Amino acid sequence: MTALTEIPGARPARPAHRDPNVFRWLGAYSASAVGDSVYYIALSWSAVRSGTPAEAGLVMAVSAVPRALLMLGGGVIADRFGPRRVVVVSDTVRCLVVLGVAGLLLLGSPGLWVLAAAALVFGAVDALFLPAVGALPPRIAARDQLARVQGMRGLAQRAALVLGAPLGGLAVALGGPAAAFGAAGLLFALALPLLLTLRLGPLPGGGPSRDGTALRDLADGLRYLRRHRVLGPLMIVVALSDLGFVGPFNVGLALLADERGWGASGIGWVLAGFGTGAAAASLVLTVRGRIPRAGAVLGWTIALGAASMGALAYVPELPVAVALALSVGLLGGLSGALCGALTQTECDPAYLGRVTAVTSFVSLGLAPLSFPLTGAAVGLWGLGPVFVASAAICVLGGLYGLSVKALRRAELPGGPQGGPGPSTS
């Protein structure tokens, strides 16, 4: 891995939404996120055109294996070598891979094995990229601005989802999959100069230690997380809420639209309602920079959002379903943003890559395992009971968070009750 000189500097005194350094990071993150969306459109279209539906599905799913297996190790690498260095290398690899696939597609039909290899590389790179991205904000913004940065990141994620799919579809329509892969590569390339010009502040207490083995670093990070009064319980809340949420919204929603006769456009409207609510929650955190009583608000928004999700299976009219999805997006988006903000502000930055890796592993590695279970359960018991049971799992996560005193009383910095720093005992 090529060494990069990380420029130490004072943390910005200005608010995050007025700091050029934060906007360079946000621009790089946005370009990379849109590139991801364009890449997945290009990959799915190429796979469908090159093989059977089963083969195309296998190509699309193959990246999940290295992502899940390597995610925790990716957190160790981010903490050991610095998050900016890891993000730059990750985006460079993705850029070269997708441009290479674009070139092969221009020359001929390389076959499914090339697409599967690209997907495998992307899965492995994601395992490095995601923890490193989560560990960057404390190096570019003051602690009392991290919640606002989290809100800005949420807005960028929503914008990437809105812009990426149409951009990928347009590229495929104009120039075929090769053009879409090329567009994704250019977006990854756009992120690189922005990342390289970031001013990074030093870690509190010095740089990362490289004295032990990677396995020892991982064990140390897991031990730190388990002993932390806020972060340990927060990981349980994240796990329960994700396990309860992803099945209904990724599998159950399509089954619900089919049963109600809403069609594909109905799914689009429901997802648009959810996305609008989630974007509004990120905007609130971006503008305010702090939500009072963050720990308590986190627990209640998870529980109330889950109630709206459970009700989705019992509404016959599409407009009512869209309104409920808007509520789920607003409450779920706020709880998700608060999870991220509390993780950023409570965690010692030296451990943030490993802690972010755990949350990413739960969300992207474990939670998708509920997809086949959700489908099988709907076949046995119907949509209503499955949506209610999934909502109950989410509610359990919210109530557990409220039952843990340290998490319930957790505050974001900047207010009268904001703590001076992370607590570890």
Side-chain angles (χ1 to χ4, degrees):
M1 187 177 293
T2 302
L4 294 172
T5 302
E6 297 196 351
I7 305 170
R11 294 174 186 258
R14 69 184 73 183
H17 61 290
R18 298 177 183 174
D19 180 41
N21 198 47
V22 173
F23 271 98
R24 282 192 291 272
W25 168 83
L26 187 66
Y29 178 79
S30 300
S32 185
V34 176
D36 264 341
S37 295
V38 174
Y39 155 76
Y40 281 111
I41 292 294
L43 182 68
S44 61
W45 184 260
S46 300
V48 167
R49 296 293 296 271
S50 301
T52 66
E55 290 171 336
L58 182 62
V59 168
M60 295 302 297
V62 73
S63 63
V65 177
R67 184 189 300 125
L69 292 177
L70 302 176
M71 185 72 72
L72 297 180
V76 173
I77 292 174
D79 286 336
R80 276 202 159 208
F81 296 99
R84 196 252 302 266
R85 186 178 287 114
V86 175
V87 170
V88 167
V89 172
S90 300
D91 263 348
T92 301
V93 171
R94 293 199 285 189
C95 177
L96 294 175
V97 167
V98 295
L99 290 179
V101 174
L104 290 174
L105 287 171
L106 285 174
L107 295 174
S109 299
L112 281 173
W113 70 270
V114 171
L115 301 177
L120 279 171
V121 172
F122 257 71
V125 170
D126 278 348
L128 301 176
F129 178 82
L130 293 170
V133 164
L136 256 178
R139 306 293 297 275
I140 62 172
R143 184 171 177 266
D144 63 357
Q145 294 299 310
L146 291 178
R148 180 170 276 125
V149 171
Q150 190 68 23
M152 296 167 72
R153 180 183 177 186
L155 287 174
Q157 288 174 325
R158 295 299 156 190
L161 291 175
V162 171
L163 297 175
L167 181 59
L170 179 63
V172 170
L174 293 177
F181 277 110
L186 292 177
L187 286 163
F188 292 134
L190 177 62
L192 294 175
L194 296 171
L195 290 167
L196 291 170
T197 55
L198 284 178
R199 293 179 291 105
L200 301 187
L203 283 175
S209 171
R210 302 183 190 177
D211 295 337
T213 64
L215 188 60
R216 185 176 300 172
D217 281 356
L218 176 58
D220 185 41
L222 295 175
R223 187 162 49 247
Y224 168 82
L225 184 59
R226 178 175 58 84
R227 293 176 177 175
H228 200 289
R229 295 185 303 156
V230 173
L231 294 177
L234 183 61
M235 293 305 108
I236 297 175
V237 171
V238 169
L240 290 172
S241 58
D242 279 351
L243 286 171
F245 173 81
V246 297
F249 257 76
N250 286 273
V251 178
L253 188 58
L255 298 174
L256 180 64
D258 181 63
E259 183 179 281
R260 296 287 191 271
W262 296 338
S265 62
I267 299 176
W269 278 109
V270 173
L271 290 177
F274 173 80
T276 300
S282 294
L283 182 61
V284 168
L285 197 57
T286 299
V287 172
R288 290 182 57 89
R290 181 180 181 272
I291 302 296
R293 298 178 58 82
V297 172
L298 166 66
W300 285 114
T301 50
I302 289 175
L304 294 174
S308 295
M309 184 183 73
L312 264 175
Y314 295 95
V315 295
E317 301 296 332
L318 180 59
V320 180
V322 173
L324 283 173
L326 181 69
S327 171
V328 174
L330 182 62
L331 295 167
L334 185 56
S335 63
L338 288 175
C339 281
L342 286 171
T343 300
Q344 293 281 326
T345 55
E346 287 284 339
C347 186
D348 182 337
Y351 289 91
L352 193 49
R354 281 163 284 181
V355 171
T356 303
V358 172
T359 59
S360 299
F361 175 73
V362 169
S363 300
L364 299 175
L366 296 183
L369 297 178
S370 66
F371 292 174
L373 296 177
T374 300
V378 170
L380 289 173
W381 298 299
L383 285 165
V386 172
F387 267 71
V388 170
S390 299
I393 295 173
C394 293
V395 170
L396 182 62
L399 294 180
Y400 172 76
L402 292 170
S403 71
V404 178
K405 182 178 178 180
L407 179 54
R408 184 178 69 249
R409 294 188 174 183
E411 291 279 358
L412 296 175
Q417 296 180 15
S423 56
T424 58
S425 61

